[in-house]
Amino acid sequence: MAEMWNVEKEMKKVTNVRLSGDRSAVIIIDQTKLPGREEYLELRTAEEIYDAILRLKVRGAPAIGICAAYGIAVLAGKIQTEDYGEFLMQFRNYKTYLESSRPTAVNLSWALNRMEQTVIKNSALKVEKIKEALFDESYSIQREDVMMCRAISEHGLTLIKDGAGILTHCNAGPLATSGYGTALGPLFLGKERGMNFRVFADETRPLLQGARLTAYELYKGGIDVTLICDNMAGVVMKNGWIDACFVGCDRIAANGDTANKIGTSTVAVLAKHYGIPFYVLGPTSTIDMNCPSGRDIPIELRPEEEIRSKFYKEQMTPAEIPCYNPAFDITDHELISGIVTEHGIAKAPYEESLKKLFL
Ligand code: MRU
């Protein structure tokens, strides 16, 4: 008989982001070194945590939020004062600093706001007790993510049949979350239940999350994965190899417009052309009801060098050629067949269905 799923057991398996045993550091797998090397980093200072997020050593919306939550718990644990006012001031300085590391994934501010609320809610306690409460809260944030990923995987699995062809863009697997992942979660869960899928992973220019991380995770999980360049998505759809597109998300606006890795909206437009359902999978922590539409989502612009030379042996274009490098794009809600969350699958009109998820 299949083993019963247990969240505490799953928590023990999570290695991409965790707290060190003595609670003095956040330990992350350095995603920039994958798939060649599995190296772990211990982040102890605010600068180290900020840098790890900015440079994508830890990436993926939920994983960024979890890293920031553990990070601020670690930093708060080192604040040397017994005075609540002073503690809150130093805590908020760290929060503002960490929040500014990347702008698009709302999980970062969502997690840090939860941590701040923990400080405020416990203001009557001694500072030492508030520090304990912060460690508990950061653990809860990760534990909830494990459960959300599992629930998203269950709901997502209802959308596909054994043998289905799936196209995915960027990386929304265990490395980007805690547990099964979001867009890749149904594939891992289905695999556990004896189902097989044929997955096409876009390489995801310019930083190659699809090639380095998604293809690697799926291959390691025994899933049939084929890597394609981003500009090949249309061909595999036209060939009739794709039954559904599954993508993750960095921020979903109240009207369903979704920010995800650059190139996602192109996949959605192609999917519409070929009559293929296009699903966004993500936890409710990625839904920002304060953002009315995609126009209100801040899009991160990254260094031009990532396009010109990052993964090439030699620079691929003259150094003076200007490059435009938005890290994310917005997929219009009209192109989205459903938004798969831990509470179920929201369908259009999203203004109503997303609101209901929070009731
Ligand atoms: O710039 P990245 O690599 O952090 O972008 C990540 C993505 O776009 C993911 O697809 C998204 O965060 C979903 S994570 C489950």
Side-chain angles (χ1 to χ4, degrees), residues 28-45:
I28 60 161
I29 188 163
D30 183 349
Q31 296 196 39
T32 62
K33 299 283 165 53
L34 291 171
R37 278 171 289 158
E38 271 189 28
E39 282 180 18
Y40 289 85
L41 298 172
E42 294 192 1
L43 313 174
R44 294 179 190 280
T45 65

Side-chain angles (χ1 to χ4, degrees), residues 256-318:
D257 289 352
T258 295
N260 193 48
K261 181 50 57 191
I262 189 74
T264 302
S265 67
T266 318
V267 173
V269 171
L270 285 169
K272 183 168 179 149
H273 179 76
Y274 289 108
I276 296 165
F278 178 93
Y279 294 104
V280 168
L281 296 89
T284 46
S285 53
T286 307
I287 302 174
D288 186 353
M289 296 305 275
N290 296 319
C291 250
S293 81
R295 279 192 302 277
D296 307 294
I297 300 178
I299 299 292
E300 176 184 11
L301 283 179
R302 293 192 62 89
E304 298 178 27
E305 175 275 332
E306 290 179 350
I307 296 183
R308 276 198 286 260
S309 54
K310 176 110 180 153
F311 285 106
Y312 296 121
K313 252 192 184 146
E314 288 167 28
Q315 187 147 304
M316 268 305 127
T317 188

Side-chain angles (χ1 to χ4, degrees), residues 4 9 14 23 44 59 66 73 76-77 90 95 108-109 148-149 176 182 190 201 209 240 263 272 299 301 321 346:
M4 282 277 281
K9 228 189 263 170
V14 175
R23 306 199 296 189
R44 294 179 190 280
R59 50 146 297 287
I66 293 160
Q90 290 195 38
K95 176 177 182 272
L108 177 60
S109 51
M148 289 194 284
C149 284
T182 53
Q209 288 94 334
K272 183 168 179 149
I299 299 292
L301 283 179
I321 297 283

Side-chain angles (χ1 to χ4, degrees), residues 31 53 56 58-64 102 105 107 149 169-173 175-177 181-183 204 207 209 212-213 247-251 259-262 264 281-283 286 300 302 327-328:
Q31 296 196 39
I53 297 172
L56 315 187
V58 56
R59 50 146 297 287
I64 292 171
R102 290 191 82 191
N107 304 62
C149 284
H169 188 84
C170 195
N171 173 259
L175 284 165
T177 63
T182 53
T204 319
L207 294 180
Q209 288 94 334
R212 295 186 302 107
L213 308 172
V247 300
C249 44
D250 289 84
R251 192 184 299 224
N260 193 48
K261 181 50 57 191
I262 189 74
T264 302
L281 296 89
T286 307
E300 176 184 11
R302 293 192 62 89
F328 301 95

Side-chain angles (χ1 to χ4, degrees), residues 17-279:
V17 185
R18 66 198 148 96
L19 192 62
S20 66
D22 63 2
R23 306 199 296 189
S24 69
V26 189
I27 303 178
I28 60 161
I29 188 163
D30 183 349
Q31 296 196 39
T32 62
K33 299 283 165 53
L34 291 171
R37 278 171 289 158
E38 271 189 28
E39 282 180 18
Y40 289 85
L41 298 172
E42 294 192 1
L43 313 174
R44 294 179 190 280
T45 65
E47 291 72 21
E48 284 168 351
I49 299 162
Y50 178 98
D51 184 77
I53 297 172
L54 174 73
R55 294 181 200 285
L56 315 187
K57 293 173 185 176
V58 56
R59 50 146 297 287
I64 292 171
I66 293 160
C67 178
Y70 278 138
I72 204 157
V74 165
L75 297 171
K78 295 174 188 170
I79 295 174
Q80 300 273 345
T81 184
E82 284 171 21
D83 177 68
Y84 174 75
E86 173 62 25
F87 179 77
L88 181 63
M89 196 189 72
Q90 290 195 38
F91 177 91
R92 283 187 166 149
N93 287 343
Y94 284 134
K95 176 177 182 272
T96 308
Y97 177 62
L98 294 183
E99 233 168 7
S100 67
S101 55
R102 290 191 82 191
T104 304
V106 73
N107 304 62
L108 177 60
S109 51
W110 171 85
L112 288 169
N113 286 339
R114 254 181 82 160
M115 297 299 280
E116 183 181 39
Q117 283 311 309
T118 303
V119 176
I120 294 167
K121 257 187 346 221
N122 291 296
S123 60
L125 300 182
K126 285 199 165 136
V127 165
E128 281 316 302
K129 293 279 175 213
I130 300 176
K131 291 178 179 177
E132 283 303 318
L134 285 169
F135 282 118
D136 290 349
E137 187 68 5
S138 54
Y139 184 84
S140 298
I141 287 174
Q142 186 167 41
R143 189 177 182 280
E144 284 167 30
D145 194 64
V146 169
M147 292 195 291
M148 289 194 284
C149 284
R150 171 74 183 200
I152 290 167
S153 306
E154 287 285 5
H155 292 301
L157 196 52
T158 64
L159 297 168
I160 48 177
K161 295 200 175 75
D162 191 20
I166 305 295
L167 185 133
T168 189
H169 188 84
C170 195
N171 173 259
L175 284 165
T177 63
S178 287
Y180 286 77
T182 53
L184 303 189
L187 310 174
F188 287 117
L189 186 63
K191 179 79 193 170
E192 275 177 21
R193 295 182 181 163
M195 296 167 77
N196 288 301
F197 307 107
R198 185 173 187 204
V199 185
F200 289 85
D202 284 351
E203 65 173 349
T204 319
R205 280 277 293 150
L207 294 180
L208 306 181
Q209 288 94 334
R212 295 186 302 107
L213 308 172
T214 301
Y216 161 77
E217 285 191 304
L218 290 170
Y219 180 75
K220 249 177 75 173
I223 291 172
D224 176 357
V225 56
T226 303
L227 182 64
I228 55 172
C229 299
D230 298 343
N231 53 6
M232 297 168 191
V235 175
V236 293
M237 290 185 189
K238 190 167 187 173
N239 287 352
W241 295 344
I242 307 299
D243 297 295
C245 300
F246 278 7
V247 300
C249 44
D250 289 84
R251 192 184 299 224
I252 300 175
N255 71 344
D257 289 352
T258 295
N260 193 48
K261 181 50 57 191
I262 189 74
T264 302
S265 67
T266 318
V267 173
V269 171
L270 285 169
K272 183 168 179 149
H273 179 76
Y274 289 108
I276 296 165
F278 178 93
Y279 294 104

Side-chain angles (χ1 to χ4, degrees), residues 325-357:
N325 188 13
F328 301 95
D329 61 20
I330 305 291
T331 300
D332 297 335
H333 60 273
E334 289 96 347
L335 299 173
I336 299 172
S337 314
I339 298 177
V340 184
T341 74
E342 72 275 19
H343 299 311
I345 304 171
K347 295 269 186 177
Y350 293 109
E351 272 98 351
E352 288 164 28
S353 58
L354 294 182
K355 221 182 269 165
K356 275 193 198 138
L357 294 177

